[in-house]
Amino acid sequence: MTTPDPSRRLLVSIHDVSPRSERQVDQLADALAHRLGGPNFAMLVIPDHWREAPIADNAAFHARLRDWADQGIEMFLHGWCHRDETPAIAGLAGFKGKHMTAGEGEFLNLPYATALARMTEGKAMLEDILGRSVAGFIAPAWLYGEGALQALGEAGFALAEDHIKVWQPTGGAVLARGPVITWASRSPARIRSSLLFSRLARLALPLTRTVRVAVHPGDTTVPALLDSIDRTLVRFARSHRPARYAELIG
């Protein structure tokens, strides 16, 4: 068996963790633990997924979150509702909202005050449930507007992540660079493109010091995506050590 280079990290995360995706999250967690040698991955928690799955008073889901955290799984706040509730706009932000996500760029167009309120309330809620600090904040669809970026610097998160980097919101230090490998299940075209990108990534990214892989509950509905995820994890677990985001800041 090939021993991974200890200086190279593999950071893996499950997005969209909420009561409405609990079964799929369990399936993904089992698959990741099998390939990564245990719970060496992160979970991104949504406080009220699409305003249909609030976690605030869900004691059973609180227990699941604490159990996952007690196993060593890092917990990130992943927006508030994961849905873009702002009016449609023109320009680059409007293009991103339309083409990069299916109406789920919650923090792309939020004004500063609203973004800060959702971040601080979500952080306080999740930390109260877990009894420990959250690992950081990752916006839905990795999309941040100016208001969200300004709020991040004040909300007290240790880490943030977008499509191309991981950074410290306070001070702005970039801790890791490189595209995140992820998959899309919304349409046949997106399935094909994400399968192609993951194949290319397995060839192009082995020398990258930090490789990031992100999976979503919807991936479980497409066998070809699950196979691609497994191939990707097997490939990078040979060269990169499964690690925690917290290691990026010591």
Side-chain angles (χ1 to χ4, degrees), residues 24-41:
Q24 295 94 333
V25 170
D26 278 333
Q27 181 178 348
L28 291 169
D30 287 344
L32 297 187
H34 174 66
R35 287 303 183 195
L36 301 175
N40 301 309
F41 51 88

Side-chain angles (χ1 to χ4, degrees), residues 117-169:
R118 294 189 186 188
M119 288 177 185
T120 54
E121 185 174 349
K123 182 175 185 289
M125 177 192 298
L126 188 52
E127 289 181 342
D128 183 61
I129 291 169
L130 297 174
R132 69 190 74 198
S133 298
V134 297
F137 178 86
I138 299 175
W142 293 284
L143 294 175
Y144 302 80
E146 291 184 7
L149 290 173
Q150 182 183 357
L152 262 177
E154 300 181 26
F157 292 103
L159 293 170
E161 177 185 84
D162 63 17
H163 282 98
I164 60 171
K165 66 182 181 300
V166 182
W167 78 97
Q168 290 181 290

Side-chain angles (χ1 to χ4, degrees), residues 55-96:
I55 68 173
D57 298 317
N58 190 331
F61 196 68
H62 293 183
R64 291 303 314 276
L65 291 173
R66 285 193 295 270
D67 180 60
W68 283 323
D70 288 344
Q71 293 176 42
I73 297 171
E74 290 182 292
M75 294 289 175
F76 283 80
L77 180 66
H78 192 40
W80 180 266
C81 67
H82 209 286
R83 180 172 63 184
D84 185 356
E85 299 173 324
T86 58
I89 63 173
L92 179 59
F95 177 85
K96 288 182 177 180

Side-chain angles (χ1 to χ4, degrees), residues 3 23 76 79 158 172 176 184 215 217 230 236:
T3 301
R23 179 179 59 80
F76 283 80
V215 299
D230 190 62
F236 287 109

